[in-house]
Amino acid sequence: MQLTVWTYEGPPHVGAIRVATALRGVHYVLHAPQGDSYADLLFTMIERSDKRPAVSYTSFLARDLGADTAELFKEQARAAAERFKPQALLVGASCTAELLQDDPGGLAKALGLSIPAIPLDLPAYQRKENWGAAETFYRLVRGLAAPYAPGPDEELSPRLSDSPARANILGPTALGFRHRDDLQEITGLLERLGVEINVVAPLGASPADLARLGEADFNIVLYPEIADIAARWLERTFKQPTVRTIPIGYGATRDFVREVAELAGVDPEPVLAEARCRLPWYSRSVDSNYLTGKRVFLFGDATHVLGALRVAEEEMGFKVVGLGTYSREWARDIRAAATERGLTAVIGDDYLEVEKAIAEAHPDLVLGTQMERHVAKRLGLPCAVISAPVHVQDFPARYAPQMGFEGANVLFDTWVHPLMMGLEEHLLGMFREDFEFHGEAGPSHLPAGGRRATAEADEAPAETTVAVAAAPGQPAWEPAAEKELKKIPFFVRGKARRNTERFAAERGVSTITVDTLYDAKAHFGN
């Protein structure tokens, strides 16, 4: 067992809560000890949901372990059915209650409720949150849609030529990274293509909606970690093809539109022609040429990492120097992408190993989760969040999708803003000797204090020419080099120092001079 401060995914029952909360008319009864109700805060505090998640807890105490905890579960299940009047009830156990082996599924069946009670047997000590969400969604889809499946020899009725194609959108859940905004963006694309939306699930769907998933002509999987298993069952059962292109970035969105149009039998060109996406031009503009060759490290769930990989290389001109995922079920795809680029993928949920890989890769930008945001802050690196797990700031009040043409615009802004642009660097270089902006100048918004500090610095005795002693194993800095370093703006000065020291150490230089500083700058600038 490994003790950790951070975790990329919760236990499987958190994934089940995400699905239950996304649906309408579904309630989840979770056999769990007091304290496991912490999951409520994920939705009310982080996602800023205006309602509690659709879950009830048995909340048994230590003293209850000597009594009948199974009876506690039956009482809670009966009360939840009477109070919330759901169309379907999910029942399961948390990781702690799993050890009691009370069999929530069998207990719920014995109650003889008038609504379907779907048991969730989620192995808490072998699987994680996304698997739990995927398994819960699959159980619901299969349990509710299977009665309407055609027989082995039964032919499905073909769609009439004059009726619009109908599609299911699968994957969006509660607590999903930008799922609501992605859904709005993709829904708009489908409407412009003339494709009718049959069901969106889990987000906003009811059990009755899940029962009619088989009425669609094809499925669109936006988040494979959640919907892939259910989509493959629908393919086998209802012979529905699946759109698997994930529309993250300009190029992938165009491919997505063409794939949908082919299945729907419509012309994609009018929609592609009216696409309002600034990323292609912005990434080719003069100032953005400074981005070419920037070294980036990618980490997150497999869907967003692979989507970001294409955008980074093909649309932004970045050089990917590292990538990985915590989604072990999708490790094969990430390893294949890494191998193509001569890299070793980081697979796992140990954030310390991820931090080590980032430090060794020396990227200019980190694209990851909220974990990598903290790591990058410690390492003094720019970072943008591209994947769950996320925190409250990644559920913005504004419209900010990651998918579709508008999502491509959001990606450009989100990724570029942490980096110093070419024009910015030019202006900083132009004013580096200015009396108000040079490295030793006081804050310009303060009247006299800053100027007096500068005057006192000018009157200070001349500096010695002896190199400043360094820590063991680190090169020393000549005073002239230290003074030159101070001319670099404070917000990139730390990185310039680290790069120069690494440059010197790799070449066996014991004392850093002004020439060493500029040699390092030229080296890393290339």
Side-chain angles (χ1 to χ4, degrees), residues 42-43 45-49 173-181 388-398 400:
L42 299 174
F43 300 89
M45 184 182 75
I46 295 179
E47 193 178 23
R48 309 190 224 208
S49 174
T173 68
L175 204 67
F177 178 55
R178 308 289 172 86
H179 284 198
R180 285 184 172 84
D181 290 351
V390 296
H391 215 288
V392 62
Q393 63 264 49
D394 294 304
F395 288 95
R398 70 185 187 283

PDB file of all heavy atoms in Angstrom, residues 42-43 45-49 173-181 388-398 400:
ATOM      1  N   LEU A  42     -17.348  17.430  -4.016  1.00  0.00           N
ATOM      2  CA  LEU A  42     -16.802  17.500  -5.370  1.00  0.00           C
ATOM      3  C   LEU A  42     -17.767  18.216  -6.311  1.00  0.00           C
ATOM      4  O   LEU A  42     -17.354  18.931  -7.216  1.00  0.00           O
ATOM      5  CB  LEU A  42     -16.517  16.088  -5.898  1.00  0.00           C
ATOM      6  CG  LEU A  42     -15.506  15.247  -5.123  1.00  0.00           C
ATOM      7  CD1 LEU A  42     -15.443  13.842  -5.694  1.00  0.00           C
ATOM      8  CD2 LEU A  42     -14.140  15.895  -5.156  1.00  0.00           C
ATOM      9  N   PHE A  43     -19.056  18.005  -6.090  1.00  0.00           N
ATOM     10  CA  PHE A  43     -20.060  18.567  -6.996  1.00  0.00           C
ATOM     11  C   PHE A  43     -20.509  19.959  -6.559  1.00  0.00           C
ATOM     12  O   PHE A  43     -20.648  20.855  -7.382  1.00  0.00           O
ATOM     13  CB  PHE A  43     -21.273  17.631  -7.067  1.00  0.00           C
ATOM     14  CG  PHE A  43     -20.920  16.254  -7.564  1.00  0.00           C
ATOM     15  CD1 PHE A  43     -20.529  15.265  -6.685  1.00  0.00           C
ATOM     16  CD2 PHE A  43     -20.950  15.965  -8.918  1.00  0.00           C
ATOM     17  CE1 PHE A  43     -20.183  13.997  -7.126  1.00  0.00           C
ATOM     18  CE2 PHE A  43     -20.601  14.704  -9.377  1.00  0.00           C
ATOM     19  CZ  PHE A  43     -20.213  13.715  -8.489  1.00  0.00           C
ATOM     20  N   MET A  45     -18.920  22.093  -4.323  1.00  0.00           N
ATOM     21  CA  MET A  45     -17.856  23.074  -4.138  1.00  0.00           C
ATOM     22  C   MET A  45     -17.016  23.243  -5.400  1.00  0.00           C
ATOM     23  O   MET A  45     -16.727  24.361  -5.829  1.00  0.00           O
ATOM     24  CB  MET A  45     -16.950  22.664  -2.979  1.00  0.00           C
ATOM     25  CG  MET A  45     -15.859  23.695  -2.668  1.00  0.00           C
ATOM     26  SD  MET A  45     -14.770  23.158  -1.336  1.00  0.00           S
ATOM     27  CE  MET A  45     -13.768  21.931  -2.182  1.00  0.00           C
ATOM     28  N   ILE A  46     -16.600  22.128  -6.035  1.00  0.00           N
ATOM     29  CA  ILE A  46     -15.696  22.224  -7.185  1.00  0.00           C
ATOM     30  C   ILE A  46     -16.457  22.489  -8.482  1.00  0.00           C
ATOM     31  O   ILE A  46     -16.138  23.399  -9.238  1.00  0.00           O
ATOM     32  CB  ILE A  46     -14.846  20.946  -7.288  1.00  0.00           C
ATOM     33  CG1 ILE A  46     -13.936  20.839  -6.061  1.00  0.00           C
ATOM     34  CG2 ILE A  46     -14.004  20.961  -8.567  1.00  0.00           C
ATOM     35  CD1 ILE A  46     -13.056  19.617  -6.035  1.00  0.00           C
ATOM     36  N   GLU A  47     -17.495  21.688  -8.752  1.00  0.00           N
ATOM     37  CA  GLU A  47     -18.262  21.913  -9.984  1.00  0.00           C
ATOM     38  C   GLU A  47     -19.247  23.062  -9.840  1.00  0.00           C
ATOM     39  O   GLU A  47     -19.813  23.529 -10.825  1.00  0.00           O
ATOM     40  CB  GLU A  47     -19.013  20.639 -10.376  1.00  0.00           C
ATOM     41  CG  GLU A  47     -19.573  20.693 -11.787  1.00  0.00           C
ATOM     42  CD  GLU A  47     -20.269  19.413 -12.211  1.00  0.00           C
ATOM     43  OE1 GLU A  47     -20.707  18.651 -11.334  1.00  0.00           O
ATOM     44  OE2 GLU A  47     -20.379  19.177 -13.420  1.00  0.00           O
ATOM     45  N   ARG A  48     -19.477  23.508  -8.601  1.00  0.00           N
ATOM     46  CA  ARG A  48     -20.428  24.591  -8.304  1.00  0.00           C
ATOM     47  C   ARG A  48     -21.841  24.222  -8.745  1.00  0.00           C
ATOM     48  O   ARG A  48     -22.591  25.061  -9.253  1.00  0.00           O
ATOM     49  CB  ARG A  48     -20.001  25.903  -8.973  1.00  0.00           C
ATOM     50  CG  ARG A  48     -18.555  26.280  -8.695  1.00  0.00           C
ATOM     51  CD  ARG A  48     -18.264  27.679  -9.170  1.00  0.00           C
ATOM     52  NE  ARG A  48     -17.014  27.755  -9.868  1.00  0.00           N
ATOM     53  CZ  ARG A  48     -16.270  28.845  -9.929  1.00  0.00           C
ATOM     54  NH1 ARG A  48     -16.644  29.931  -9.331  1.00  0.00           N
ATOM     55  NH2 ARG A  48     -15.150  28.850 -10.608  1.00  0.00           N
ATOM     56  N   SER A  49     -22.197  22.963  -8.573  1.00  0.00           N
ATOM     57  CA  SER A  49     -23.538  22.517  -8.909  1.00  0.00           C
ATOM     58  C   SER A  49     -24.539  23.128  -7.942  1.00  0.00           C
ATOM     59  O   SER A  49     -24.251  23.327  -6.763  1.00  0.00           O
ATOM     60  CB  SER A  49     -23.607  20.991  -8.838  1.00  0.00           C
ATOM     61  OG  SER A  49     -24.922  20.543  -9.025  1.00  0.00           O
ATOM     62  N   THR A 173     -20.529  13.638 -18.451  1.00  0.00           N
ATOM     63  CA  THR A 173     -20.996  13.317 -17.111  1.00  0.00           C
ATOM     64  C   THR A 173     -20.941  14.553 -16.225  1.00  0.00           C
ATOM     65  O   THR A 173     -20.428  15.611 -16.629  1.00  0.00           O
ATOM     66  CB  THR A 173     -20.114  12.233 -16.444  1.00  0.00           C
ATOM     67  OG1 THR A 173     -18.818  12.802 -16.184  1.00  0.00           O
ATOM     68  CG2 THR A 173     -19.984  11.005 -17.305  1.00  0.00           C
ATOM     69  N   ALA A 174     -21.456  14.411 -15.024  1.00  0.00           N
ATOM     70  CA  ALA A 174     -21.240  15.436 -14.007  1.00  0.00           C
ATOM     71  C   ALA A 174     -19.771  15.410 -13.604  1.00  0.00           C
ATOM     72  O   ALA A 174     -19.109  14.377 -13.681  1.00  0.00           O
ATOM     73  CB  ALA A 174     -22.134  15.171 -12.804  1.00  0.00           C
ATOM     74  N   LEU A 175     -19.246  16.548 -13.189  1.00  0.00           N
ATOM     75  CA  LEU A 175     -17.860  16.707 -12.756  1.00  0.00           C
ATOM     76  C   LEU A 175     -16.865  16.410 -13.877  1.00  0.00           C
ATOM     77  O   LEU A 175     -15.711  16.103 -13.633  1.00  0.00           O
ATOM     78  CB  LEU A 175     -17.566  15.814 -11.538  1.00  0.00           C
ATOM     79  CG  LEU A 175     -16.405  16.271 -10.634  1.00  0.00           C
ATOM     80  CD1 LEU A 175     -16.759  17.573  -9.933  1.00  0.00           C
ATOM     81  CD2 LEU A 175     -16.101  15.206  -9.582  1.00  0.00           C
ATOM     82  N   GLY A 176     -17.305  16.496 -15.122  1.00  0.00           N
ATOM     83  CA  GLY A 176     -16.405  16.277 -16.250  1.00  0.00           C
ATOM     84  C   GLY A 176     -15.722  17.572 -16.653  1.00  0.00           C
ATOM     85  O   GLY A 176     -16.314  18.655 -16.578  1.00  0.00           O
ATOM     86  N   PHE A 177     -14.479  17.477 -17.108  1.00  0.00           N
ATOM     87  CA  PHE A 177     -13.714  18.663 -17.490  1.00  0.00           C
ATOM     88  C   PHE A 177     -14.308  19.295 -18.747  1.00  0.00           C
ATOM     89  O   PHE A 177     -14.199  18.756 -19.835  1.00  0.00           O
ATOM     90  CB  PHE A 177     -12.260  18.266 -17.733  1.00  0.00           C
ATOM     91  CG  PHE A 177     -11.371  19.410 -18.184  1.00  0.00           C
ATOM     92  CD1 PHE A 177     -11.273  20.567 -17.438  1.00  0.00           C
ATOM     93  CD2 PHE A 177     -10.637  19.315 -19.354  1.00  0.00           C
ATOM     94  CE1 PHE A 177     -10.461  21.617 -17.839  1.00  0.00           C
ATOM     95  CE2 PHE A 177      -9.824  20.346 -19.770  1.00  0.00           C
ATOM     96  CZ  PHE A 177      -9.737  21.503 -19.010  1.00  0.00           C
ATOM     97  N   ARG A 178     -14.995  20.407 -18.591  1.00  0.00           N
ATOM     98  CA  ARG A 178     -15.636  21.191 -19.652  1.00  0.00           C
ATOM     99  C   ARG A 178     -16.680  20.385 -20.433  1.00  0.00           C
ATOM    100  O   ARG A 178     -16.972  20.708 -21.591  1.00  0.00           O
ATOM    101  CB  ARG A 178     -14.584  21.746 -20.614  1.00  0.00           C
ATOM    102  CG  ARG A 178     -13.438  22.507 -19.939  1.00  0.00           C
ATOM    103  CD  ARG A 178     -13.881  23.842 -19.380  1.00  0.00           C
ATOM    104  NE  ARG A 178     -12.835  24.456 -18.589  1.00  0.00           N
ATOM    105  CZ  ARG A 178     -11.856  25.220 -19.081  1.00  0.00           C
ATOM    106  NH1 ARG A 178     -11.800  25.449 -20.376  1.00  0.00           N
ATOM    107  NH2 ARG A 178     -10.948  25.745 -18.287  1.00  0.00           N
ATOM    108  N   HIS A 179     -17.263  19.355 -19.836  1.00  0.00           N
ATOM    109  CA  HIS A 179     -18.220  18.524 -20.562  1.00  0.00           C
ATOM    110  C   HIS A 179     -19.441  19.311 -21.022  1.00  0.00           C
ATOM    111  O   HIS A 179     -19.917  19.126 -22.150  1.00  0.00           O
ATOM    112  CB  HIS A 179     -18.665  17.348 -19.695  1.00  0.00           C
ATOM    113  CG  HIS A 179     -17.641  16.262 -19.596  1.00  0.00           C
ATOM    114  ND1 HIS A 179     -17.934  14.971 -19.189  1.00  0.00           N
ATOM    115  CD2 HIS A 179     -16.304  16.254 -19.858  1.00  0.00           C
ATOM    116  CE1 HIS A 179     -16.842  14.236 -19.202  1.00  0.00           C
ATOM    117  NE2 HIS A 179     -15.836  15.003 -19.581  1.00  0.00           N
ATOM    118  N   ARG A 180     -19.958  20.179 -20.160  1.00  0.00           N
ATOM    119  CA  ARG A 180     -21.162  20.925 -20.538  1.00  0.00           C
ATOM    120  C   ARG A 180     -20.886  21.867 -21.715  1.00  0.00           C
ATOM    121  O   ARG A 180     -21.689  21.986 -22.638  1.00  0.00           O
ATOM    122  CB  ARG A 180     -21.689  21.718 -19.335  1.00  0.00           C
ATOM    123  CG  ARG A 180     -22.391  20.843 -18.309  1.00  0.00           C
ATOM    124  CD  ARG A 180     -22.991  21.669 -17.176  1.00  0.00           C
ATOM    125  NE  ARG A 180     -23.819  20.842 -16.308  1.00  0.00           N
ATOM    126  CZ  ARG A 180     -23.381  20.102 -15.314  1.00  0.00           C
ATOM    127  NH1 ARG A 180     -22.086  20.107 -15.041  1.00  0.00           N
ATOM    128  NH2 ARG A 180     -24.191  19.368 -14.579  1.00  0.00           N
ATOM    129  N   ASP A 181     -19.757  22.532 -21.703  1.00  0.00           N
ATOM    130  CA  ASP A 181     -19.416  23.439 -22.804  1.00  0.00           C
ATOM    131  C   ASP A 181     -19.091  22.655 -24.077  1.00  0.00           C
ATOM    132  O   ASP A 181     -19.460  23.070 -25.183  1.00  0.00           O
ATOM    133  CB  ASP A 181     -18.230  24.319 -22.412  1.00  0.00           C
ATOM    134  CG  ASP A 181     -18.589  25.344 -21.349  1.00  0.00           C
ATOM    135  OD1 ASP A 181     -19.789  25.485 -21.051  1.00  0.00           O
ATOM    136  OD2 ASP A 181     -17.683  25.993 -20.798  1.00  0.00           O
ATOM    137  N   ALA A 388      -8.907  16.425 -16.587  1.00  0.00           N
ATOM    138  CA  ALA A 388      -9.196  16.137 -15.184  1.00  0.00           C
ATOM    139  C   ALA A 388      -8.053  15.286 -14.628  1.00  0.00           C
ATOM    140  O   ALA A 388      -7.388  14.585 -15.386  1.00  0.00           O
ATOM    141  CB  ALA A 388     -10.519  15.389 -15.081  1.00  0.00           C
ATOM    142  N   PRO A 389      -7.809  15.362 -13.296  1.00  0.00           N
ATOM    143  CA  PRO A 389      -8.569  16.098 -12.293  1.00  0.00           C
ATOM    144  C   PRO A 389      -8.282  17.596 -12.321  1.00  0.00           C
ATOM    145  O   PRO A 389      -7.152  18.007 -12.606  1.00  0.00           O
ATOM    146  CB  PRO A 389      -8.092  15.472 -10.983  1.00  0.00           C
ATOM    147  CG  PRO A 389      -6.706  14.996 -11.270  1.00  0.00           C
ATOM    148  CD  PRO A 389      -6.739  14.537 -12.687  1.00  0.00           C
ATOM    149  N   VAL A 390      -9.325  18.350 -12.041  1.00  0.00           N
ATOM    150  CA  VAL A 390      -9.220  19.805 -12.078  1.00  0.00           C
ATOM    151  C   VAL A 390      -9.784  20.378 -10.779  1.00  0.00           C
ATOM    152  O   VAL A 390     -10.378  19.659  -9.978  1.00  0.00           O
ATOM    153  CB  VAL A 390      -9.982  20.380 -13.286  1.00  0.00           C
ATOM    154  CG1 VAL A 390      -9.361  19.918 -14.587  1.00  0.00           C
ATOM    155  CG2 VAL A 390     -11.458  19.990 -13.247  1.00  0.00           C
ATOM    156  N   HIS A 391      -9.589  21.676 -10.616  1.00  0.00           N
ATOM    157  CA  HIS A 391     -10.111  22.335  -9.434  1.00  0.00           C
ATOM    158  C   HIS A 391     -11.162  23.363  -9.849  1.00  0.00           C
ATOM    159  O   HIS A 391     -11.527  23.463 -11.014  1.00  0.00           O
ATOM    160  CB  HIS A 391      -8.986  22.973  -8.616  1.00  0.00           C
ATOM    161  CG  HIS A 391      -9.217  22.912  -7.140  1.00  0.00           C
ATOM    162  ND1 HIS A 391     -10.170  23.682  -6.513  1.00  0.00           N
ATOM    163  CD2 HIS A 391      -8.655  22.156  -6.165  1.00  0.00           C
ATOM    164  CE1 HIS A 391     -10.176  23.426  -5.213  1.00  0.00           C
ATOM    165  NE2 HIS A 391      -9.269  22.503  -4.971  1.00  0.00           N
ATOM    166  N   VAL A 392     -11.607  24.139  -8.880  1.00  0.00           N
ATOM    167  CA  VAL A 392     -12.759  25.003  -9.086  1.00  0.00           C
ATOM    168  C   VAL A 392     -12.526  26.008 -10.216  1.00  0.00           C
ATOM    169  O   VAL A 392     -13.453  26.363 -10.943  1.00  0.00           O
ATOM    170  CB  VAL A 392     -13.141  25.724  -7.764  1.00  0.00           C
ATOM    171  CG1 VAL A 392     -12.008  26.617  -7.284  1.00  0.00           C
ATOM    172  CG2 VAL A 392     -14.428  26.511  -7.924  1.00  0.00           C
ATOM    173  N   GLN A 393     -11.275  26.472 -10.416  1.00  0.00           N
ATOM    174  CA  GLN A 393     -11.028  27.479 -11.454  1.00  0.00           C
ATOM    175  C   GLN A 393     -11.186  26.906 -12.849  1.00  0.00           C
ATOM    176  O   GLN A 393     -11.250  27.663 -13.824  1.00  0.00           O
ATOM    177  CB  GLN A 393      -9.637  28.106 -11.290  1.00  0.00           C
ATOM    178  CG  GLN A 393      -8.477  27.134 -11.441  1.00  0.00           C
ATOM    179  CD  GLN A 393      -8.006  26.630 -10.100  1.00  0.00           C
ATOM    180  OE1 GLN A 393      -8.807  26.193  -9.279  1.00  0.00           O
ATOM    181  NE2 GLN A 393      -6.711  26.696  -9.852  1.00  0.00           N
ATOM    182  N   ASP A 394     -11.250  25.584 -12.966  1.00  0.00           N
ATOM    183  CA  ASP A 394     -11.435  24.972 -14.275  1.00  0.00           C
ATOM    184  C   ASP A 394     -12.898  24.658 -14.570  1.00  0.00           C
ATOM    185  O   ASP A 394     -13.208  23.921 -15.517  1.00  0.00           O
ATOM    186  CB  ASP A 394     -10.566  23.714 -14.382  1.00  0.00           C
ATOM    187  CG  ASP A 394      -9.088  24.064 -14.364  1.00  0.00           C
ATOM    188  OD1 ASP A 394      -8.668  24.860 -15.209  1.00  0.00           O
ATOM    189  OD2 ASP A 394      -8.365  23.570 -13.473  1.00  0.00           O
ATOM    190  N   PHE A 395     -13.791  25.217 -13.765  1.00  0.00           N
ATOM    191  CA  PHE A 395     -15.220  25.245 -14.069  1.00  0.00           C
ATOM    192  C   PHE A 395     -15.615  26.719 -14.179  1.00  0.00           C
ATOM    193  O   PHE A 395     -16.296  27.258 -13.315  1.00  0.00           O
ATOM    194  CB  PHE A 395     -16.029  24.543 -12.977  1.00  0.00           C
ATOM    195  CG  PHE A 395     -15.865  23.047 -12.981  1.00  0.00           C
ATOM    196  CD1 PHE A 395     -14.935  22.437 -12.166  1.00  0.00           C
ATOM    197  CD2 PHE A 395     -16.641  22.255 -13.816  1.00  0.00           C
ATOM    198  CE1 PHE A 395     -14.774  21.059 -12.176  1.00  0.00           C
ATOM    199  CE2 PHE A 395     -16.492  20.879 -13.832  1.00  0.00           C
ATOM    200  CZ  PHE A 395     -15.551  20.279 -13.014  1.00  0.00           C
ATOM    201  N   PRO A 396     -15.167  27.403 -15.235  1.00  0.00           N
ATOM    202  CA  PRO A 396     -15.356  28.856 -15.324  1.00  0.00           C
ATOM    203  C   PRO A 396     -16.800  29.237 -15.595  1.00  0.00           C
ATOM    204  O   PRO A 396     -17.589  28.439 -16.123  1.00  0.00           O
ATOM    205  CB  PRO A 396     -14.457  29.240 -16.509  1.00  0.00           C
ATOM    206  CG  PRO A 396     -14.438  28.019 -17.376  1.00  0.00           C
ATOM    207  CD  PRO A 396     -14.482  26.860 -16.423  1.00  0.00           C
ATOM    208  N   ALA A 397     -17.139  30.460 -15.237  1.00  0.00           N
ATOM    209  CA  ALA A 397     -18.484  30.967 -15.520  1.00  0.00           C
ATOM    210  C   ALA A 397     -18.676  31.215 -17.011  1.00  0.00           C
ATOM    211  O   ALA A 397     -19.789  31.122 -17.528  1.00  0.00           O
ATOM    212  CB  ALA A 397     -18.723  32.262 -14.734  1.00  0.00           C
ATOM    213  N   ARG A 398     -17.585  31.521 -17.714  1.00  0.00           N
ATOM    214  CA  ARG A 398     -17.685  31.814 -19.143  1.00  0.00           C
ATOM    215  C   ARG A 398     -17.804  30.522 -19.949  1.00  0.00           C
ATOM    216  O   ARG A 398     -17.570  29.431 -19.440  1.00  0.00           O
ATOM    217  CB  ARG A 398     -16.454  32.591 -19.611  1.00  0.00           C
ATOM    218  CG  ARG A 398     -15.197  31.754 -19.634  1.00  0.00           C
ATOM    219  CD  ARG A 398     -13.966  32.560 -19.986  1.00  0.00           C
ATOM    220  NE  ARG A 398     -12.783  31.740 -20.160  1.00  0.00           N
ATOM    221  CZ  ARG A 398     -12.064  31.210 -19.185  1.00  0.00           C
ATOM    222  NH1 ARG A 398     -12.425  31.433 -17.943  1.00  0.00           N
ATOM    223  NH2 ARG A 398     -11.004  30.464 -19.448  1.00  0.00           N
ATOM    224  N   ALA A 400     -16.305  28.012 -22.277  1.00  0.00           N
ATOM    225  CA  ALA A 400     -14.913  27.677 -22.562  1.00  0.00           C
ATOM    226  C   ALA A 400     -14.769  26.201 -22.913  1.00  0.00           C
ATOM    227  O   ALA A 400     -14.202  25.419 -22.150  1.00  0.00           O
ATOM    228  CB  ALA A 400     -14.026  28.030 -21.369  1.00  0.00           C
TER     229      ALA A 400
END
